[in-house]
Amino acid sequence: MGKLKKGQRFSVRIDGLSHGAEGVGRINEKVVFVPQAIPGDTAQVQLVHVKDRFAHAVLEDIIDPSPDRIIPSCPHAQECGGCQLQHMSYDAQLQWKRQQVQDAVERIGHLKVPVLPTKGMDTPFGYRNKAQFPLGRDGGQVVMGFFRRGTHNIVDLTQCEVQHPLITRLALQVKETVERLGIEPYDEIAHTGVLRHAVIRVSFSENKLMLVLVTKTKEIPHLDSLIQELVETVPELVSVAQNINPKVTNVIFGPETHLLWGETHLMERIGRMVYAISPRSFFQVNSTQTKVLYDLVKEYADLQGHETVLDLYCGTGTIGLYLAQEAKQIIGVETIQDAVHDAERNAALNGIDNGRFIHGKAEEVVPKLVQDLGKIDCVILDPPRKGCEQVVLDTLAEAKVRQVVYVSCNPATLARDLAHLAAREYKVGSVQPVDLFPWTRHVECVVMMSLGNGLGC
Ligand SMILES: C[S@@+](CC[C@H](N)C(=O)[O-])C[C@H]1O[C@@H](n2cnc3c(N)ncnc32)[C@H](O)[C@@H]1O
């Protein structure tokens, strides 16, 4: 069999899906990654990169489709980098996500723990409460949407299956008004222009919108007309803020944010709780599934009313406050100062007086907290994708915290951290995947770990 070369065409049977949701097959024993292909497909592909151990190919034709293949309902599915699995049935996505988690737990964590079926959505559309749209020009026209898969070219948005419909409505209006008023979109190559991103948030419970204009410059030409027209045409818009990002960077937000018009916060309800969300603070993007997630955390923590609970990586205090009525005290730790202020505001908003929030890095604050508090009964971990710093886990183990509930958006770092705690005598319970991100490769998980006899907090 000859050596594989770029440009060659093959028929290949796809039998797996990579963690980036690319189809995986084999040609002459070499692993080939094929974006847009799914297990069960037989596809005609063309090789685009050939390396020593693997190759990349583009999908040219489906010769025999997988039983899980569906026709995407989104017209941008082929080109848009936002969703990776629009061509796979929702049931198959849920099964694949479970398998992804299982593989991570076994291969990275070397743990034998059950991974439960993924908790999916009844209606997995229109679920996102936040979108970040870059703006630019294409052929003289203002375009606004998502980056084309693997590039910084903007796919001009006309429709989006995963955003709340109000987000798309406001986005289309922003684009039209910006074009008409002649507000120049940012050009990332020349580093010229004004408007870099439109970040839009919606409250599902109140049907209200927040718009954050991320600009290169402090001045926004025709600002009053822009706001007036947006508010008149999209009456659900209640808050307009500006974030200034003058740097040459891929990072969306700059350091300065201020209100331009309307309300300072958007209010969202999860279960019995109301949360105030400011332009920059983290809030789970799927409000409906967040309730499923937080209810699981509550069930796993099984609080009786006498416990001291740490909510580490607490964002705007959402999880801790969700549990506060069942605990003696809740202490949140978070690095973003604005989020800490929001957490305090959220506590007051919900009449909760047994919660306090500390600004700082978990790895620096936790060792001091352990010394000050003496006994900590239960810890909620909800770190960013990179997982927990080892010192956090070690400190909790040394403090003999009996119950740890881990919420994770990255199965790989979750598996690593579970293994670390398992080596420190924690018993790892079953892993429950929750689908917060239908049609994408992402999955959230909740796991309970307990020290000793494994009773609740
Ligand atoms: C996945 S979010 C979880 C937020 C919150 N638990 C929720 O459900 O909305 C992770 C949070 O950790 C914060 N963070 C990142 N690194 C941190 C660190 N070293 N110490 C404390 N917080 C951190 C981020 O700012 C972000 O708010």
Side-chain angles (χ1 to χ4, degrees):
M1 280 183 203
K3 242 179 126 189
L4 298 185
K5 290 199 191 85
K6 180 178 168 180
Q8 284 178 315
R9 292 191 160 85
F10 292 92
S11 159
V12 59
R13 167 98 180 157
I14 303 297
D15 51 21
L17 209 52
S18 71
H19 65 263
E22 296 172 328
V24 183
R26 275 174 196 275
I27 302 172
N28 299 354
E29 300 305 309
K30 196 183 283 272
V31 171
V32 182
F33 295 101
V34 188
Q36 307 283 309
I38 57 172
D41 282 337
T42 300
Q44 174 167 310
V45 305
Q46 184 176 26
L47 296 178
V48 287
H49 292 118
V50 180
K51 308 258 187 216
D52 284 348
R53 293 178 48 221
F54 58 87
H56 286 276
V58 289
L59 177 68
E60 291 197 323
D61 197 15
I62 298 288
I63 297 165
D64 187 18
S66 162
D68 297 324
R69 178 167 280 279
I70 57 166
I71 295 170
S73 49
C74 172
H76 305 300
Q78 292 283 336
E79 45 181 3
C80 173
C83 294
Q84 300 81 35
L85 290 169
Q86 285 271 342
H87 48 283
M88 192 179 195
S89 76
Y90 190 51
D91 276 352
Q93 288 172 49
L94 295 178
Q95 283 175 37
W96 172 68
K97 289 182 184 190
R98 184 197 158 280
Q99 191 59 50
Q100 277 279 102
V101 177
Q102 181 91 60
D103 290 350
V105 167
E106 282 173 13
R107 290 184 197 156
I108 299 170
H110 305 289
L111 294 168
K112 283 251 166 283
V113 290
V115 178
L116 302 172
T118 312
K119 283 188 186 286
M121 297 187 77
D122 293 339
T123 312
F125 298 101
Y127 64 83
R128 277 192 69 103
N129 60 28
K130 180 183 166 191
Q132 309 186 131
F133 299 112
L135 286 103
R137 278 197 185 277
D138 187 6
Q141 299 276 49
V142 174
V143 288
M144 174 174 163
F146 296 103
F147 287 128
R148 198 175 299 274
R149 212 176 290 275
T151 74
H152 264 217
N153 302 330
I154 297 168
V155 176
D156 198 25
L157 175 100
T158 56
Q159 186 182 327
C160 178
E161 295 294 299
V162 300
Q163 308 291 350
H164 187 292
L166 271 180
I167 291 186
T168 311
R169 209 173 108 210
L170 178 59
L172 293 173
Q173 190 58 52
V174 169
K175 184 173 67 174
E176 189 191 313
T177 310
V178 161
E179 174 93 271
R180 186 149 28 73
L181 293 175
I183 302 170
E184 198 46 39
Y186 178 64
D187 178 329
E188 66 173 6
I189 295 173
H191 193 50
T192 54
V194 176
L195 203 46
R196 300 175 72 123
H197 275 82
V199 177
I200 302 177
R201 290 183 121 148
V202 64
S203 158
F204 273 61
S205 52
E206 299 205 331
N207 224 37
K208 290 181 177 175
L209 288 159
M210 169 185 275
L211 170 66
V212 187
L213 300 167
V214 183
T215 61
K216 174 178 173 257
T217 52
K218 186 164 174 24
E219 289 71 40
I220 306 176
H222 312 293
L223 179 61
D224 291 345
S225 310
L226 174 67
I227 293 176
Q228 190 184 342
E229 183 164 333
L230 293 177
V231 171
E232 276 171 16
T233 49
V234 186
E236 291 86 355
L237 181 60
V238 295
S239 170
V240 183
Q242 179 183 14
N243 172 272
I244 303 166
N245 187 356
K247 286 198 179 154
V248 179
T249 171
N250 283 341
V251 176
I252 295 179
F253 287 106
E256 188 189 329
T257 307
H258 58 262
L259 185 70
L260 293 172
W261 175 86
E263 297 170 18
T264 53
H265 290 74
L266 213 54
M267 298 297 172
E268 182 65 297
R269 187 173 281 278
I270 306 286
R272 282 180 301 168
M273 307 296 293
V274 182
Y275 299 109
I277 307 166
S278 60
R280 291 293 317 278
S281 51
F282 178 92
F283 195 79
Q284 297 285 2
V285 296
N286 184 332
S287 301
T288 312
Q289 288 292 86
T290 296
K291 176 162 185 331
V292 175
L293 187 73
Y294 290 0
D295 282 342
L296 276 167
V297 175
K298 189 183 267 192
E299 181 190 324
Y300 287 179
D302 191 23
L303 301 171
Q304 306 299 317
H306 56 79
E307 299 89 347
T308 292
V309 180
L310 297 191
D311 177 12
L312 303 184
Y313 314 91
C314 71
T316 55
T318 38
I319 299 181
L321 295 173
Y322 206 77
L323 307 179
Q325 281 169 346
E326 274 95 53
K328 181 175 150 213
Q329 62 169 336
I330 300 281
I331 301 165
V333 180
E334 164 62 44
T335 42
I336 295 180
Q337 179 75 70
D338 279 356
V340 173
H341 289 149
D342 283 354
E344 286 160 351
R345 184 189 176 106
N346 285 334
L349 205 62
N350 291 282
I352 289 169
D353 58 8
N354 61 341
R356 71 181 163 102
F357 299 92
I358 300 173
H359 174 222
K361 292 184 176 166
E363 54 274 26
E364 289 166 10
V365 175
V366 170
K368 289 184 213 142
L369 268 179
V370 164
Q371 272 190 351
D372 295 350
L373 292 169
K375 183 162 176 275
I376 296 165
D377 302 287
C378 182
V379 173
I380 314 298
L381 299 170
D382 186 7
R385 290 188 65 75
K386 68 178 177 156
C388 296
E389 298 285 332
Q390 205 166 304
V391 63
V392 173
L393 304 176
D394 286 337
T395 310
L396 299 179
E398 274 147 35
K400 302 215 177 301
V401 173
R402 283 187 43 218
Q403 194 94 335
V404 177
V405 182
Y406 198 131
V407 179
S408 164
C409 58
N410 184 346
T413 54
L414 171 68
R416 180 201 66 198
D417 292 350
L418 292 185
H420 195 79
L421 284 172
R424 309 267 334 222
E425 290 174 25
Y426 277 84
K427 185 167 168 289
V428 181
S430 48
V431 182
Q432 175 64 70
V434 181
D435 193 20
L436 260 67
F437 318 100
W439 312 102
T440 79
R441 63 192 168 88
H442 300 288
V443 60
E444 196 83 9
C445 290
V446 195
V447 193
M448 180 173 74
M449 280 160 288
S450 47
L451 195 61
N453 63 12
L455 296 175
C457 284

